[in-house]
Amino acid sequence: MTSDFPKPVFRPSGTFDRLFPSEDPAEVSRAAHSTATTLLARVRREEDPEVIERLISFTASHGIDDIAHLWSRSPAKSLPGALWRLYLVQLSIHDDPQTASLLYERGRGELRTTDQIVAGAPTPATPAELVALIDTILRGAFTGDFAVALDRTAAFCRVQASGATHLADDYEAMEPARSTQLTRRALRLTSIAEDLTIASRMWRRDELG
């Protein structure tokens, strides 16, 4: 894949290339929905702390490829699509917490909304605190209100998108290439936030399958 990958895929480390090379799309879709539904139901039913922690740390231990193979081609407005985006945001923060913190803090200072309150990050948010925050949000997706986890992640993305947009403006005159990179990142974060917000509404209406 080139750098112009289809939205809303946000590649923090360029590791999302092995995506269903030959499988039947209908089978892939059925498998994605089945695994997402089964996983979420089983974790919520058993509430095994060890299993939950393994899921939270999955990308740190195994990378993103296995999850990508399961869910990355699912529609945004579906359960596997929502789970894919949650893991993708988590990985982006784990992969580069310094940049995540920089974008979040700049966005927090610029954005005049309640998103920073919804996201729940401390003020100011250090890189380590943002890593802990996204893990907490993902844990909540498996153990608490799934819609709340989606809303918190969407809010987090909007704050970061604001930060990326304003930093892009700062770099525009002196480093246009960097400015373009930040603008693209802001657009991807905004797209992910929109998808998660819609998925949250659908979950509350029992329509997210």
Side-chain angles (χ1 to χ4, degrees):
M1 288 187 180
T2 67
S3 59
D4 295 323
F5 44 86
K7 68 174 186 179
V9 178
F10 170 36
R11 293 189 180 190
S13 58
T15 57
F16 311 133
D17 295 320
R18 296 206 309 268
L19 305 180
F20 305 105
S22 61
E23 293 92 331
D24 178 84
E27 290 296 329
V28 169
S29 178
R30 280 193 290 270
H33 284 78
S34 176
T35 54
T37 301
T38 301
L39 174 65
L40 197 60
R42 180 173 180 179
V43 172
R44 287 170 176 273
R45 182 175 64 251
E46 297 182 359
E47 296 186 356
D48 185 332
E50 184 177 344
V51 171
I52 293 167
E53 292 311 308
R54 285 206 303 268
L55 287 170
I56 301 307
S57 62
F58 188 89
T59 58
S61 302
H62 304 284
I64 197 68
D65 283 3
D66 288 341
I67 292 175
H69 193 73
L70 281 173
W71 297 332
S72 67
R73 287 177 59 183
S74 299
K77 300 168 187 64
S78 69
L79 180 57
L83 285 169
W84 163 245
R85 283 156 180 76
L86 289 177
Y87 271 111
L88 206 53
V89 173
Q90 184 206 35
L91 183 60
S92 75
I93 298 168
H94 278 248
D95 190 64
D96 189 358
Q98 297 290 338
T99 298
S101 178
L102 175 65
L103 296 182
Y104 190 89
E105 282 303 300
R106 181 59 184 273
R108 185 181 61 79
E110 300 284 354
L111 199 60
R112 298 294 181 261
T113 68
T114 61
D115 283 318
Q116 60 179 300
I117 298 172
V118 174
T123 304
T126 67
E129 286 170 333
L130 286 189
V131 169
L133 172 69
I134 196 61
D135 287 354
T136 297
I137 293 173
L138 188 57
R139 186 177 293 106
F142 291 113
T143 63
D145 189 323
F146 189 68
V148 169
L150 297 178
D151 285 336
R152 291 185 69 186
T153 308
F156 182 90
C157 288
R158 282 190 290 269
V159 176
Q160 278 209 315
S162 174
T165 298
H166 284 88
L167 283 173
D169 292 342
D170 294 344
Y171 280 105
E172 186 172 6
M174 300 299 295
E175 298 185 43
R178 176 62 170 161
S179 176
T180 298
Q181 182 184 39
L182 286 164
T183 298
R184 288 176 178 170
R185 186 164 182 166
L187 290 172
R188 292 167 195 148
L189 285 163
T190 298
S191 181
I192 291 174
E194 291 172 352
D195 290 337
L196 293 177
T197 297
I198 293 171
S200 172
R201 293 171 185 160
M202 293 177 67
W203 177 265
R204 288 188 168 96
R205 297 195 300 263
D206 198 24
E207 296 175 355
L208 192 68

mmCIF file of all heavy atoms in Angstrom, residues 146-195:
data_model
loop_
_atom_site.group_PDB
_atom_site.id
_atom_site.type_symbol
_atom_site.label_atom_id
_atom_site.label_comp_id
_atom_site.label_asym_id
_atom_site.label_seq_id
_atom_site.Cartn_x
_atom_site.Cartn_y
_atom_site.Cartn_z
ATOM 1 N N PHE A 146 -20.024 -0.167 26.145
ATOM 2 C CA PHE A 146 -19.285 -0.125 24.893
ATOM 3 C C PHE A 146 -19.452 1.230 24.202
ATOM 4 O O PHE A 146 -18.496 1.776 23.640
ATOM 5 C CB PHE A 146 -19.751 -1.256 23.969
ATOM 6 C CG PHE A 146 -18.903 -1.439 22.750
ATOM 7 C CD1 PHE A 146 -17.596 -1.904 22.845
ATOM 8 C CD2 PHE A 146 -19.414 -1.160 21.487
ATOM 9 C CE1 PHE A 146 -16.806 -2.082 21.717
ATOM 10 C CE2 PHE A 146 -18.639 -1.339 20.351
ATOM 11 C CZ PHE A 146 -17.333 -1.805 20.470
ATOM 12 N N ALA A 147 -20.652 1.774 24.248
ATOM 13 C CA ALA A 147 -20.899 3.064 23.623
ATOM 14 C C ALA A 147 -20.068 4.170 24.269
ATOM 15 O O ALA A 147 -19.560 5.068 23.583
ATOM 16 C CB ALA A 147 -22.388 3.412 23.699
ATOM 17 N N VAL A 148 -19.920 4.128 25.576
ATOM 18 C CA VAL A 148 -19.107 5.125 26.273
ATOM 19 C C VAL A 148 -17.652 5.029 25.816
ATOM 20 O O VAL A 148 -16.987 6.051 25.593
ATOM 21 C CB VAL A 148 -19.210 4.952 27.797
ATOM 22 C CG1 VAL A 148 -18.166 5.801 28.514
ATOM 23 C CG2 VAL A 148 -20.612 5.329 28.278
ATOM 24 N N ALA A 149 -17.147 3.815 25.663
ATOM 25 C CA ALA A 149 -15.772 3.630 25.194
ATOM 26 C C ALA A 149 -15.597 4.221 23.799
ATOM 27 O O ALA A 149 -14.577 4.864 23.496
ATOM 28 C CB ALA A 149 -15.404 2.155 25.194
ATOM 29 N N LEU A 150 -16.584 4.012 22.937
ATOM 30 C CA LEU A 150 -16.528 4.584 21.590
ATOM 31 C C LEU A 150 -16.553 6.108 21.646
ATOM 32 O O LEU A 150 -15.798 6.783 20.939
ATOM 33 C CB LEU A 150 -17.692 4.065 20.755
ATOM 34 C CG LEU A 150 -17.749 2.562 20.486
ATOM 35 C CD1 LEU A 150 -19.000 2.218 19.679
ATOM 36 C CD2 LEU A 150 -16.507 2.080 19.755
ATOM 37 N N ASP A 151 -17.422 6.654 22.489
ATOM 38 C CA ASP A 151 -17.522 8.110 22.606
ATOM 39 C C ASP A 151 -16.230 8.717 23.149
ATOM 40 O O ASP A 151 -15.788 9.784 22.685
ATOM 41 C CB ASP A 151 -18.682 8.482 23.528
ATOM 42 C CG ASP A 151 -20.038 8.301 22.871
ATOM 43 O OD1 ASP A 151 -20.111 8.333 21.629
ATOM 44 O OD2 ASP A 151 -21.034 8.119 23.609
ATOM 45 N N ARG A 152 -15.630 8.056 24.127
ATOM 46 C CA ARG A 152 -14.391 8.583 24.706
ATOM 47 C C ARG A 152 -13.257 8.559 23.680
ATOM 48 O O ARG A 152 -12.472 9.508 23.578
ATOM 49 C CB ARG A 152 -13.996 7.785 25.950
ATOM 50 C CG ARG A 152 -14.917 7.976 27.132
ATOM 51 C CD ARG A 152 -14.388 7.240 28.351
ATOM 52 N NE ARG A 152 -13.166 7.863 28.863
ATOM 53 C CZ ARG A 152 -12.437 7.348 29.861
ATOM 54 N NH1 ARG A 152 -12.793 6.199 30.422
ATOM 55 N NH2 ARG A 152 -11.366 7.971 30.275
ATOM 56 N N THR A 153 -13.180 7.482 22.911
ATOM 57 C CA THR A 153 -12.141 7.400 21.886
ATOM 58 C C THR A 153 -12.377 8.430 20.799
ATOM 59 O O THR A 153 -11.434 9.066 20.312
ATOM 60 C CB THR A 153 -12.094 5.997 21.273
ATOM 61 O OG1 THR A 153 -11.998 5.019 22.314
ATOM 62 C CG2 THR A 153 -10.890 5.845 20.347
ATOM 63 N N ALA A 154 -13.636 8.618 20.405
ATOM 64 C CA ALA A 154 -13.961 9.638 19.408
ATOM 65 C C ALA A 154 -13.560 11.030 19.907
ATOM 66 O O ALA A 154 -12.981 11.836 19.154
ATOM 67 C CB ALA A 154 -15.453 9.603 19.092
ATOM 68 N N ALA A 155 -13.862 11.320 21.159
ATOM 69 C CA ALA A 155 -13.500 12.615 21.733
ATOM 70 C C ALA A 155 -11.993 12.790 21.755
ATOM 71 O O ALA A 155 -11.461 13.868 21.425
ATOM 72 C CB ALA A 155 -14.075 12.737 23.147
ATOM 73 N N PHE A 156 -11.280 11.743 22.132
ATOM 74 C CA PHE A 156 -9.824 11.780 22.145
ATOM 75 C C PHE A 156 -9.286 12.091 20.752
ATOM 76 O O PHE A 156 -8.381 12.919 20.581
ATOM 77 C CB PHE A 156 -9.277 10.435 22.634
ATOM 78 C CG PHE A 156 -7.784 10.393 22.716
ATOM 79 C CD1 PHE A 156 -7.132 10.763 23.871
ATOM 80 C CD2 PHE A 156 -7.023 9.982 21.631
ATOM 81 C CE1 PHE A 156 -5.748 10.735 23.946
ATOM 82 C CE2 PHE A 156 -5.652 9.950 21.694
ATOM 83 C CZ PHE A 156 -5.004 10.334 22.856
ATOM 84 N N CYS A 157 -9.855 11.442 19.733
ATOM 85 C CA CYS A 157 -9.412 11.671 18.359
ATOM 86 C C CYS A 157 -9.674 13.108 17.916
ATOM 87 O O CYS A 157 -8.859 13.706 17.201
ATOM 88 C CB CYS A 157 -10.097 10.695 17.412
ATOM 89 S SG CYS A 157 -9.517 8.990 17.545
ATOM 90 N N ARG A 158 -10.811 13.664 18.320
ATOM 91 C CA ARG A 158 -11.110 15.038 17.939
ATOM 92 C C ARG A 158 -10.129 16.030 18.567
ATOM 93 O O ARG A 158 -9.726 17.011 17.929
ATOM 94 C CB ARG A 158 -12.548 15.394 18.318
ATOM 95 C CG ARG A 158 -13.588 14.826 17.359
ATOM 96 C CD ARG A 158 -14.962 15.396 17.622
ATOM 97 N NE ARG A 158 -15.518 14.924 18.870
ATOM 98 C CZ ARG A 158 -16.279 13.829 18.994
ATOM 99 N NH1 ARG A 158 -16.564 13.099 17.936
ATOM 100 N NH2 ARG A 158 -16.768 13.477 20.165
ATOM 101 N N VAL A 159 -9.749 15.792 19.819
ATOM 102 C CA VAL A 159 -8.766 16.660 20.460
ATOM 103 C C VAL A 159 -7.430 16.565 19.734
ATOM 104 O O VAL A 159 -6.787 17.580 19.428
ATOM 105 C CB VAL A 159 -8.604 16.305 21.947
ATOM 106 C CG1 VAL A 159 -7.496 17.153 22.575
ATOM 107 C CG2 VAL A 159 -9.908 16.517 22.709
ATOM 108 N N GLN A 160 -7.008 15.340 19.422
ATOM 109 C CA GLN A 160 -5.747 15.164 18.692
ATOM 110 C C GLN A 160 -5.824 15.779 17.297
ATOM 111 O O GLN A 160 -4.844 16.365 16.819
ATOM 112 C CB GLN A 160 -5.410 13.685 18.579
ATOM 113 C CG GLN A 160 -4.751 13.102 19.816
ATOM 114 C CD GLN A 160 -3.835 11.946 19.439
ATOM 115 O OE1 GLN A 160 -4.185 11.085 18.646
ATOM 116 N NE2 GLN A 160 -2.653 11.936 20.012
ATOM 117 N N ALA A 161 -6.962 15.629 16.638
ATOM 118 C CA ALA A 161 -7.115 16.203 15.301
ATOM 119 C C ALA A 161 -6.970 17.725 15.344
ATOM 120 O O ALA A 161 -6.352 18.328 14.455
ATOM 121 C CB ALA A 161 -8.469 15.820 14.721
ATOM 122 N N SER A 162 -7.536 18.338 16.374
ATOM 123 C CA SER A 162 -7.384 19.781 16.532
ATOM 124 C C SER A 162 -5.916 20.151 16.722
ATOM 125 O O SER A 162 -5.418 21.107 16.111
ATOM 126 C CB SER A 162 -8.203 20.260 17.733
ATOM 127 O OG SER A 162 -7.968 21.637 17.995
ATOM 128 N N GLY A 163 -5.231 19.390 17.540
ATOM 129 C CA GLY A 163 -3.808 19.642 17.752
ATOM 130 C C GLY A 163 -3.007 19.502 16.472
ATOM 131 O O GLY A 163 -2.135 20.332 16.172
ATOM 132 N N ALA A 164 -3.293 18.460 15.710
ATOM 133 C CA ALA A 164 -2.575 18.245 14.448
ATOM 134 C C ALA A 164 -2.850 19.376 13.467
ATOM 135 O O ALA A 164 -1.948 19.826 12.747
ATOM 136 C CB ALA A 164 -2.983 16.899 13.845
ATOM 137 N N THR A 165 -4.092 19.847 13.421
ATOM 138 C CA THR A 165 -4.446 20.933 12.510
ATOM 139 C C THR A 165 -3.701 22.211 12.847
ATOM 140 O O THR A 165 -3.152 22.891 11.962
ATOM 141 C CB THR A 165 -5.964 21.198 12.564
ATOM 142 O OG1 THR A 165 -6.664 20.026 12.132
ATOM 143 C CG2 THR A 165 -6.347 22.368 11.676
ATOM 144 N N HIS A 166 -3.645 22.548 14.123
ATOM 145 C CA HIS A 166 -2.968 23.781 14.523
ATOM 146 C C HIS A 166 -1.455 23.670 14.375
ATOM 147 O O HIS A 166 -0.788 24.646 13.984
ATOM 148 C CB HIS A 166 -3.344 24.148 15.963
ATOM 149 C CG HIS A 166 -4.718 24.721 16.083
ATOM 150 N ND1 HIS A 166 -5.837 23.942 16.261
ATOM 151 C CD2 HIS A 166 -5.159 25.999 16.023
ATOM 152 C CE1 HIS A 166 -6.912 24.700 16.317
ATOM 153 N NE2 HIS A 166 -6.526 25.952 16.181
ATOM 154 N N LEU A 167 -0.906 22.497 14.637
ATOM 155 C CA LEU A 167 0.528 22.312 14.405
ATOM 156 C C LEU A 167 0.846 22.386 12.919
ATOM 157 O O LEU A 167 1.903 22.900 12.527
ATOM 158 C CB LEU A 167 0.983 20.976 14.980
ATOM 159 C CG LEU A 167 1.168 20.929 16.503
ATOM 160 C CD1 LEU A 167 1.456 19.512 16.946
ATOM 161 C CD2 LEU A 167 2.293 21.861 16.940
ATOM 162 N N ALA A 168 -0.053 21.877 12.081
ATOM 163 C CA ALA A 168 0.142 21.972 10.632
ATOM 164 C C ALA A 168 0.227 23.441 10.207
ATOM 165 O O ALA A 168 1.041 23.806 9.350
ATOM 166 C CB ALA A 168 -0.998 21.273 9.903
ATOM 167 N N ASP A 169 -0.618 24.274 10.799
ATOM 168 C CA ASP A 169 -0.562 25.715 10.499
ATOM 169 C C ASP A 169 0.783 26.302 10.913
ATOM 170 O O ASP A 169 1.355 27.145 10.206
ATOM 171 C CB ASP A 169 -1.693 26.451 11.213
ATOM 172 C CG ASP A 169 -3.060 26.104 10.660
ATOM 173 O OD1 ASP A 169 -3.131 25.582 9.530
ATOM 174 O OD2 ASP A 169 -4.064 26.325 11.379
ATOM 175 N N ASP A 170 1.304 25.858 12.050
ATOM 176 C CA ASP A 170 2.589 26.362 12.531
ATOM 177 C C ASP A 170 3.726 26.015 11.566
ATOM 178 O O ASP A 170 4.651 26.807 11.360
ATOM 179 C CB ASP A 170 2.914 25.771 13.904
ATOM 180 C CG ASP A 170 1.951 26.236 14.984
ATOM 181 O OD1 ASP A 170 1.236 27.237 14.760
ATOM 182 O OD2 ASP A 170 1.910 25.588 16.050
ATOM 183 N N TYR A 171 3.666 24.820 10.986
ATOM 184 C CA TYR A 171 4.748 24.336 10.129
ATOM 185 C C TYR A 171 4.600 24.759 8.668
ATOM 186 O O TYR A 171 5.522 24.562 7.868
ATOM 187 C CB TYR A 171 4.796 22.808 10.177
ATOM 188 C CG TYR A 171 5.491 22.232 11.388
ATOM 189 C CD1 TYR A 171 4.759 21.670 12.426
ATOM 190 C CD2 TYR A 171 6.876 22.242 11.489
ATOM 191 C CE1 TYR A 171 5.384 21.127 13.537
ATOM 192 C CE2 TYR A 171 7.516 21.711 12.596
ATOM 193 C CZ TYR A 171 6.764 21.154 13.624
ATOM 194 O OH TYR A 171 7.386 20.622 14.720
ATOM 195 N N GLU A 172 3.456 25.329 8.306
ATOM 196 C CA GLU A 172 3.145 25.533 6.887
ATOM 197 C C GLU A 172 4.201 26.362 6.162
ATOM 198 O O GLU A 172 4.596 26.042 5.033
ATOM 199 C CB GLU A 172 1.780 26.195 6.753
ATOM 200 C CG GLU A 172 1.315 26.315 5.314
ATOM 201 C CD GLU A 172 -0.119 26.800 5.209
ATOM 202 O OE1 GLU A 172 -0.704 27.158 6.252
ATOM 203 O OE2 GLU A 172 -0.633 26.815 4.087
ATOM 204 N N ALA A 173 4.678 27.429 6.761
ATOM 205 C CA ALA A 173 5.614 28.318 6.085
ATOM 206 C C ALA A 173 7.025 27.736 6.006
ATOM 207 O O ALA A 173 7.677 27.798 4.961
ATOM 208 C CB ALA A 173 5.647 29.670 6.787
ATOM 209 N N MET A 174 7.484 27.119 7.092
ATOM 210 C CA MET A 174 8.875 26.672 7.166
ATOM 211 C C MET A 174 9.064 25.217 6.736
ATOM 212 O O MET A 174 10.095 24.875 6.151
ATOM 213 C CB MET A 174 9.393 26.855 8.610
ATOM 214 C CG MET A 174 9.358 28.288 9.088
ATOM 215 S SD MET A 174 10.391 29.400 8.095
ATOM 216 C CE MET A 174 12.019 28.734 8.459
ATOM 217 N N GLU A 175 8.104 24.358 7.042
ATOM 218 C CA GLU A 175 8.218 22.925 6.716
ATOM 219 C C GLU A 175 6.910 22.442 6.102
ATOM 220 O O GLU A 175 6.116 21.766 6.748
ATOM 221 C CB GLU A 175 8.548 22.108 7.967
ATOM 222 C CG GLU A 175 9.882 22.457 8.611
ATOM 223 C CD GLU A 175 10.211 21.533 9.780
ATOM 224 O OE1 GLU A 175 9.998 20.313 9.643
ATOM 225 O OE2 GLU A 175 10.657 22.051 10.817
ATOM 226 N N PRO A 176 6.671 22.776 4.832
ATOM 227 C CA PRO A 176 5.389 22.417 4.210
ATOM 228 C C PRO A 176 5.124 20.916 4.159
ATOM 229 O O PRO A 176 3.969 20.501 4.251
ATOM 230 C CB PRO A 176 5.503 23.011 2.802
ATOM 231 C CG PRO A 176 6.967 23.245 2.586
ATOM 232 C CD PRO A 176 7.544 23.534 3.929
ATOM 233 N N ALA A 177 6.166 20.114 4.017
ATOM 234 C CA ALA A 177 5.964 18.662 3.977
ATOM 235 C C ALA A 177 5.446 18.161 5.323
ATOM 236 O O ALA A 177 4.543 17.315 5.385
ATOM 237 C CB ALA A 177 7.257 17.949 3.620
ATOM 238 N N ARG A 178 6.019 18.667 6.399
ATOM 239 C CA ARG A 178 5.563 18.309 7.739
ATOM 240 C C ARG A 178 4.133 18.791 7.957
ATOM 241 O O ARG A 178 3.306 18.095 8.552
ATOM 242 C CB ARG A 178 6.497 18.927 8.779
ATOM 243 C CG ARG A 178 6.093 18.726 10.231
ATOM 244 C CD ARG A 178 6.054 17.283 10.618
ATOM 245 N NE ARG A 178 5.891 17.121 12.053
ATOM 246 C CZ ARG A 178 5.462 16.008 12.626
ATOM 247 N NH1 ARG A 178 5.169 14.952 11.876
ATOM 248 N NH2 ARG A 178 5.331 15.932 13.934
ATOM 249 N N SER A 179 3.840 19.979 7.464
ATOM 250 C CA SER A 179 2.490 20.515 7.578
ATOM 251 C C SER A 179 1.486 19.620 6.871
ATOM 252 O O SER A 179 0.402 19.336 7.403
ATOM 253 C CB SER A 179 2.439 21.926 6.980
ATOM 254 O OG SER A 179 1.137 22.432 6.999
ATOM 255 N N THR A 180 1.826 19.162 5.682
ATOM 256 C CA THR A 180 0.934 18.275 4.933
ATOM 257 C C THR A 180 0.719 16.970 5.683
ATOM 258 O O THR A 180 -0.407 16.451 5.742
ATOM 259 C CB THR A 180 1.528 17.987 3.539
ATOM 260 O OG1 THR A 180 1.622 19.216 2.817
ATOM 261 C CG2 THR A 180 0.650 17.012 2.763
ATOM 262 N N GLN A 181 1.779 16.416 6.251
ATOM 263 C CA GLN A 181 1.674 15.170 7.015
ATOM 264 C C GLN A 181 0.729 15.337 8.199
ATOM 265 O O GLN A 181 -0.124 14.463 8.465
ATOM 266 C CB GLN A 181 3.057 14.749 7.500
ATOM 267 C CG GLN A 181 3.079 13.440 8.263
ATOM 268 C CD GLN A 181 4.468 13.123 8.798
ATOM 269 O OE1 GLN A 181 5.196 14.009 9.254
ATOM 270 N NE2 GLN A 181 4.843 11.854 8.741
ATOM 271 N N LEU A 182 0.843 16.443 8.895
ATOM 272 C CA LEU A 182 -0.020 16.694 10.051
ATOM 273 C C LEU A 182 -1.467 16.919 9.618
ATOM 274 O O LEU A 182 -2.395 16.479 10.303
ATOM 275 C CB LEU A 182 0.501 17.894 10.830
ATOM 276 C CG LEU A 182 1.764 17.655 11.664
ATOM 277 C CD1 LEU A 182 2.403 18.970 12.063
ATOM 278 C CD2 LEU A 182 1.428 16.823 12.902
ATOM 279 N N THR A 183 -1.653 17.586 8.498
ATOM 280 C CA THR A 183 -3.013 17.799 7.994
ATOM 281 C C THR A 183 -3.679 16.470 7.656
ATOM 282 O O THR A 183 -4.864 16.258 7.974
ATOM 283 C CB THR A 183 -2.986 18.706 6.754
ATOM 284 O OG1 THR A 183 -2.446 19.989 7.123
ATOM 285 C CG2 THR A 183 -4.390 18.906 6.198
ATOM 286 N N ARG A 184 -2.939 15.578 7.011
ATOM 287 C CA ARG A 184 -3.483 14.261 6.695
ATOM 288 C C ARG A 184 -3.817 13.487 7.966
ATOM 289 O O ARG A 184 -4.848 12.812 8.050
ATOM 290 C CB ARG A 184 -2.490 13.469 5.852
ATOM 291 C CG ARG A 184 -2.358 13.961 4.422
ATOM 292 C CD ARG A 184 -1.300 13.186 3.682
ATOM 293 N NE ARG A 184 -1.201 13.609 2.294
ATOM 294 C CZ ARG A 184 -0.245 13.240 1.459
ATOM 295 N NH1 ARG A 184 0.710 12.427 1.880
ATOM 296 N NH2 ARG A 184 -0.231 13.676 0.211
ATOM 297 N N ARG A 185 -2.962 13.609 8.945
ATOM 298 C CA ARG A 185 -3.228 12.922 10.211
ATOM 299 C C ARG A 185 -4.493 13.460 10.861
ATOM 300 O O ARG A 185 -5.312 12.689 11.392
ATOM 301 C CB ARG A 185 -2.031 13.086 11.149
ATOM 302 C CG ARG A 185 -2.133 12.289 12.438
ATOM 303 C CD ARG A 185 -0.792 12.208 13.103
ATOM 304 N NE ARG A 185 -0.844 11.401 14.313
ATOM 305 C CZ ARG A 185 0.227 10.937 14.946
ATOM 306 N NH1 ARG A 185 1.427 11.197 14.463
ATOM 307 N NH2 ARG A 185 0.102 10.219 16.035
ATOM 308 N N ALA A 186 -4.658 14.770 10.818
ATOM 309 C CA ALA A 186 -5.871 15.384 11.384
ATOM 310 C C ALA A 186 -7.118 14.872 10.676
ATOM 311 O O ALA A 186 -8.136 14.582 11.317
ATOM 312 C CB ALA A 186 -5.781 16.902 11.275
ATOM 313 N N LEU A 187 -7.060 14.750 9.360
ATOM 314 C CA LEU A 187 -8.206 14.266 8.600
ATOM 315 C C LEU A 187 -8.534 12.820 8.954
ATOM 316 O O LEU A 187 -9.711 12.453 9.083
ATOM 317 C CB LEU A 187 -7.930 14.397 7.103
ATOM 318 C CG LEU A 187 -7.905 15.829 6.557
ATOM 319 C CD1 LEU A 187 -7.436 15.833 5.105
ATOM 320 C CD2 LEU A 187 -9.277 16.478 6.666
ATOM 321 N N ARG A 188 -7.523 11.990 9.118
ATOM 322 C CA ARG A 188 -7.758 10.590 9.478
ATOM 323 C C ARG A 188 -8.340 10.470 10.871
ATOM 324 O O ARG A 188 -9.255 9.676 11.111
ATOM 325 C CB ARG A 188 -6.450 9.804 9.367
ATOM 326 C CG ARG A 188 -5.962 9.654 7.939
ATOM 327 C CD ARG A 188 -4.537 9.156 7.902
ATOM 328 N NE ARG A 188 -3.973 9.359 6.564
ATOM 329 C CZ ARG A 188 -2.704 9.613 6.319
ATOM 330 N NH1 ARG A 188 -1.841 9.698 7.315
ATOM 331 N NH2 ARG A 188 -2.269 9.781 5.088
ATOM 332 N N LEU A 189 -7.806 11.254 11.798
ATOM 333 C CA LEU A 189 -8.342 11.240 13.159
ATOM 334 C C LEU A 189 -9.788 11.719 13.183
ATOM 335 O O LEU A 189 -10.627 11.155 13.893
ATOM 336 C CB LEU A 189 -7.474 12.119 14.062
ATOM 337 C CG LEU A 189 -6.122 11.540 14.467
ATOM 338 C CD1 LEU A 189 -5.207 12.634 14.995
ATOM 339 C CD2 LEU A 189 -6.292 10.437 15.504
ATOM 340 N N THR A 190 -10.079 12.741 12.413
ATOM 341 C CA THR A 190 -11.448 13.244 12.339
ATOM 342 C C THR A 190 -12.384 12.191 11.765
ATOM 343 O O THR A 190 -13.513 11.997 12.254
ATOM 344 C CB THR A 190 -11.501 14.517 11.469
ATOM 345 O OG1 THR A 190 -10.688 15.534 12.076
ATOM 346 C CG2 THR A 190 -12.933 15.027 11.339
ATOM 347 N N SER A 191 -11.920 11.485 10.745
ATOM 348 C CA SER A 191 -12.728 10.433 10.139
ATOM 349 C C SER A 191 -12.995 9.299 11.125
ATOM 350 O O SER A 191 -14.120 8.802 11.236
ATOM 351 C CB SER A 191 -12.023 9.894 8.894
ATOM 352 O OG SER A 191 -12.781 8.885 8.276
ATOM 353 N N ILE A 192 -11.971 8.890 11.862
ATOM 354 C CA ILE A 192 -12.144 7.843 12.861
ATOM 355 C C ILE A 192 -13.128 8.304 13.929
ATOM 356 O O ILE A 192 -14.008 7.546 14.363
ATOM 357 C CB ILE A 192 -10.798 7.458 13.493
ATOM 358 C CG1 ILE A 192 -9.921 6.728 12.471
ATOM 359 C CG2 ILE A 192 -10.995 6.580 14.728
ATOM 360 C CD1 ILE A 192 -8.519 6.438 12.965
ATOM 361 N N ALA A 193 -13.004 9.546 14.366
ATOM 362 C CA ALA A 193 -13.912 10.079 15.384
ATOM 363 C C ALA A 193 -15.358 10.050 14.895
ATOM 364 O O ALA A 193 -16.270 9.665 15.643
ATOM 365 C CB ALA A 193 -13.511 11.511 15.745
ATOM 366 N N GLU A 194 -15.580 10.434 13.642
ATOM 367 C CA GLU A 194 -16.933 10.416 13.093
ATOM 368 C C GLU A 194 -17.484 8.991 13.042
ATOM 369 O O GLU A 194 -18.647 8.744 13.402
ATOM 370 C CB GLU A 194 -16.923 11.029 11.692
ATOM 371 C CG GLU A 194 -16.656 12.524 11.683
ATOM 372 C CD GLU A 194 -16.472 13.067 10.282
ATOM 373 O OE1 GLU A 194 -16.403 12.248 9.321
ATOM 374 O OE2 GLU A 194 -16.378 14.302 10.125
ATOM 375 N N ASP A 195 -16.651 8.051 12.607
ATOM 376 C CA ASP A 195 -17.096 6.658 12.532
ATOM 377 C C ASP A 195 -17.453 6.105 13.911
ATOM 378 O O ASP A 195 -18.461 5.411 14.078
ATOM 379 C CB ASP A 195 -15.999 5.788 11.906
ATOM 380 C CG ASP A 195 -15.808 6.066 10.423
ATOM 381 O OD1 ASP A 195 -16.752 6.575 9.793
ATOM 382 O OD2 ASP A 195 -14.710 5.778 9.910
#
